[in-house]
Amino acid sequence: MANIREIAKLAGVSVSTVSRVLNDYPYVKEEKRRAVLEAMDQLNYKKNINAVHLAKGKTCIVGVMLPDVAHPYFSAMMEGVAEEALRFGYHLLLFQTNYDVHKELEALEMLRMKQMDGLIICSHMASIEAIEAYMEDGPIVLCEDVKDNHFLSVSINHYDAFLLGMNYLIKKGHTKIGYCIGRSTGINSQIRKAAYEKALRAIDVQPNDEWRFEQCLHITDGKRVVEKLCSLHEKPTALLVTSDQVAAGIILWGKAYGVTIPNDLAIVSFDNHPIAEALGITTIELPLSLMGKKAFHMIYHCLKTGIYSEQKEQLPVQLIERMSG
């Protein structure tokens, strides 16, 4: 492939002028810019983007690591990230990991190899210590509360949010309360479990393991929850569900099994997805799109200023009461 010296010779300009044109620098006379572009055409020159990135010291690419792009929780966060990336002229590199630690480490290695400028981690299976080893390679933002680490982070207080839902159901007179979560091993899931158990202890009720439903991620998981509920000898009268999609599935399949909402089963869920409004689901609104926007801005601030100062922000939540509670 032709090099910039050959382009300069054919265009009748200096090598530095070719370099300015290739890197979109201003203050190049239009006739010279046109001559360089025509020479590139004749020589079938293709810009080596990796060389450009190396010369500039940046890629204008931000990575986003998330387990499942189809999950409404993460897609709402992605919406916020993508909106701000577009506004500031950045591209996104998406890593869908399905909580595979090897895939998560591959993303971090790409940060180390300077194939992106920074990385937003929406959720992860890898240990904090493993992620911490890459902090010197570029700005990393975690979308979770990491009080004791030097990460940039933007988060929701899942403990208070879960406690808000529990206290709402308890005030409604419920003591037999179960809950649905995505996975039991995640940091946020452990926080929610602690809030759940604290709320029950406050009313002298012991948690019932049969009323905890795991791997509840999609609307179709609602059918499995309803089938399990109907098989129980002692049933909960209320459920706290960590996804509007799963709550919608419980309501829709519940009708087929003769479960009426909220008479047989009260439901409070999370996110405030449009499906919650359509089905009248009482939900706790999580500002997920805003969280994505703020995560991008933390990365952008580091890249623009060169200052990696510890920054943590926690976003508020609110309960929206509808018919299901």
Side-chain angles (χ1 to χ4, degrees), residues 26 43 45 66 81 90 127 129 131 173 190 224 242 245 254 266 306-307 316:
L43 294 170
Y45 177 84
L66 74 176
V81 175
Y90 273 73
S127 69
E129 291 74 21
I131 298 170
Q190 293 298 315
R224 173 170 53 85
T242 58
Q245 297 280 326
I307 300 171

Side-chain angles (χ1 to χ4, degrees), residues 16-296:
S16 60
T17 297
V18 176
S19 179
R20 291 190 191 99
V21 172
L22 287 173
N23 291 292
D24 296 319
Y25 288 167
Y27 314 121
V28 177
K29 288 182 179 179
E30 188 54 37
E31 61 268 24
K32 290 187 176 181
R33 185 183 299 277
R34 195 160 47 245
V36 168
L37 294 175
E38 287 173 0
M40 287 169 58
D41 245 1
Q42 290 180 42
L43 294 170
N44 195 28
Y45 177 84
K46 298 289 186 291
K47 192 191 302 190
N48 184 336
I49 195 65
N50 289 327
V52 173
H53 290 165
L54 188 63
K56 288 185 173 182
K58 65 176 184 177
T59 65
C60 286
I61 296 171
V62 169
V64 183
M65 180 201 294
L66 74 176
D68 183 359
V69 70
H71 193 285
Y73 182 95
F74 298 112
S75 61
M77 290 171 62
M78 270 300 303
E79 182 183 337
V81 175
E83 185 178 327
E84 294 308 289
L86 182 63
R87 191 156 73 92
F88 287 90
Y90 273 73
H91 301 286
L92 296 179
L93 185 57
L94 185 62
F95 300 93
Q96 181 169 292
T97 65
N98 196 29
Y99 288 120
D100 183 329
V101 173
H102 296 296
K103 291 187 182 298
E104 293 176 1
L105 293 177
E106 282 176 12
L108 288 159
E109 281 297 324
M110 288 183 70
L111 178 66
R112 175 165 285 172
M113 293 187 293
K114 306 302 180 188
Q115 292 181 271
M116 54 188 163
D117 297 329
L119 180 64
I120 297 168
I121 301 180
C122 299
S123 188
H124 60 93
M125 182 64 75
S127 69
I128 288 291
E129 291 74 21
I131 298 170
E132 204 164 11
Y134 294 86
M135 284 182 66
E136 298 298 320
D137 300 309
I140 298 173
V141 174
L142 293 180
C143 297
E144 64 190 60
D145 188 10
V146 280
K147 292 187 179 72
D148 301 326
N149 296 84
H150 300 295
F151 285 104
L152 299 165
S153 73
V154 56
S155 63
I156 291 164
N157 190 325
H158 288 283
Y159 185 89
D160 285 354
F162 220 72
L163 209 54
L164 177 64
M166 288 294 293
N167 288 336
Y168 172 84
L169 290 170
I170 289 167
K171 286 178 183 175
K172 289 281 187 176
H174 296 283
T175 57
K176 297 180 177 182
I177 305 171
Y179 72 101
C180 302
I181 55 171
R183 61 188 184 117
S184 59
T185 56
I187 293 172
N188 290 337
S189 295
Q190 293 298 315
I191 289 169
R192 289 166 179 150
K193 180 183 179 184
Y196 172 77
E197 292 177 349
K198 178 182 179 179
L200 291 183
R201 282 197 304 271
I203 56 172
D204 295 320
V205 173
Q206 289 297 315
N208 186 331
D209 288 340
E210 288 191 321
W211 298 347
R212 186 180 69 227
F213 303 89
E214 298 179 7
Q215 296 301 314
C216 296
L217 300 168
H218 304 286
I219 193 167
T220 50
D221 292 317
K223 181 181 181 182
R224 173 170 53 85
V225 172
V226 170
E227 289 174 345
K228 177 71 183 297
L229 281 171
C230 291
S231 72
L232 294 175
H233 175 69
E234 185 179 12
K235 299 175 175 58
T237 61
L239 279 181
L240 199 54
V241 185
T242 58
S243 162
D244 287 332
Q245 297 280 326
V246 177
I250 293 170
I251 290 171
L252 294 172
W253 268 286
K255 288 181 180 179
Y257 284 79
V259 178
T260 60
I261 310 294
N263 295 334
D264 296 329
L265 183 70
I267 291 177
V268 173
S269 65
F270 290 81
D271 296 347
N272 196 27
H273 187 275
I275 200 169
E277 183 178 4
L279 294 178
I281 302 172
T282 296
T283 187
I284 296 170
E285 184 175 47
L286 306 180
L288 299 173
S289 178
L290 179 61
M291 184 156 67
K293 290 180 181 182
K294 287 186 175 290
F296 176 84

